[in-house]
Amino acid sequence: MWRWFADMQFQKAELVISAPDRRSWPDTHLPEIVLAGRSNVGKSSFINAMCGRKKLAYVGSTPGKTRLLNFFNLDDRYMLVDVPGYGYANISKQQLLQFGRMMEEYFNEREQKKGAVILVDARHMPSEDDHTMLEYIRYFQLPIIIVATKIDKVSKSRRAHQLSLIRKDLQLQDGEQLYPFSSATKEGEEAIWQAMKTILEA
């Protein structure tokens, strides 16, 4: 299946590796963009919808299944890096420390990183974990895209107001944009891919 975004179509979208540490990172020079968000925000559905695949990323009934850094190759041109979801209560302190080390290792050492997409739930105000992740990525001075998922579950009469509240709560800085998105209706796909392409090709 081919997937259009902007002026491109993907003939290949595949999981390259699920990496526990830098020794497992793929040896490529492809530009990478990181996908981050709470465990129940719909990251897997976002990846599948945006890449035009039904089962590229695992979608489970129990959030928090991602335990590694998942590298997805798109036509040997770009790499999406799905990091472990945060805010999931049923993990051990040891796992939490492991996640932290994985993240620090990647953001400090991976030269291919170009920017990040942070997913928040459009139905709710951003959590403390969302704020922490946003500040963490800002620290590395990377371009950031904010995506408000599950926008189809917010009534049309409330959407503009809800998105305005989220923007204000996150105190978006220059260059940071909030995009509504729905994996069910495909709303926001093209605009988000355009923004991602701008980061990846900078």
Side-chain angles (χ1 to χ4, degrees), residues 56-112:
L56 180 61
Y58 175 78
V59 180
S61 58
T62 303
K65 289 295 186 182
T66 301
R67 294 287 189 261
L68 307 169
L69 299 183
N70 294 320
F71 290 79
F72 296 93
N73 182 328
L74 302 180
D75 270 357
D76 298 321
R77 296 191 62 171
Y78 310 122
M79 199 82 77
L80 305 185
V81 184
D82 182 25
V83 305
Y86 50 82
Y88 187 57
N90 294 335
I91 62 173
S92 68
K93 185 176 180 180
Q94 183 177 358
Q95 285 178 311
L96 191 61
L97 291 172
Q98 179 187 348
F99 294 171
R101 286 193 296 268
M102 253 193 324
M103 295 285 284
E104 287 187 20
E105 193 173 51
Y106 178 85
F107 279 99
N108 280 309
E109 300 183 30
R110 188 67 167 172
E111 295 181 357
Q112 292 90 328

Side-chain angles (χ1 to χ4, degrees), residues 108-146:
N108 280 309
E109 300 183 30
R110 188 67 167 172
E111 295 181 357
Q112 292 90 328
K113 64 184 184 299
K114 293 288 189 177
V117 177
I118 298 179
L119 307 185
V120 298
D121 192 324
R123 300 171 296 177
H124 309 294
M125 295 302 292
S127 67
E128 182 178 344
D129 292 320
D130 291 324
H131 281 275
T132 299
M133 178 57 70
L134 181 58
E135 290 303 316
Y136 182 76
I137 294 176
R138 282 172 175 165
Y139 171 80
F140 292 95
Q141 299 182 322
L142 293 171
I144 299 171
I145 298 167
I146 313 293

Side-chain angles (χ1 to χ4, degrees), residues 160-174:
H161 180 63
Q162 180 68 4
L163 292 172
S164 177
L165 290 176
I166 293 173
R167 288 189 190 95
K168 184 177 180 180
D169 185 76
L170 291 175
Q171 298 180 338
L172 298 188
Q173 299 179 358
D174 290 344

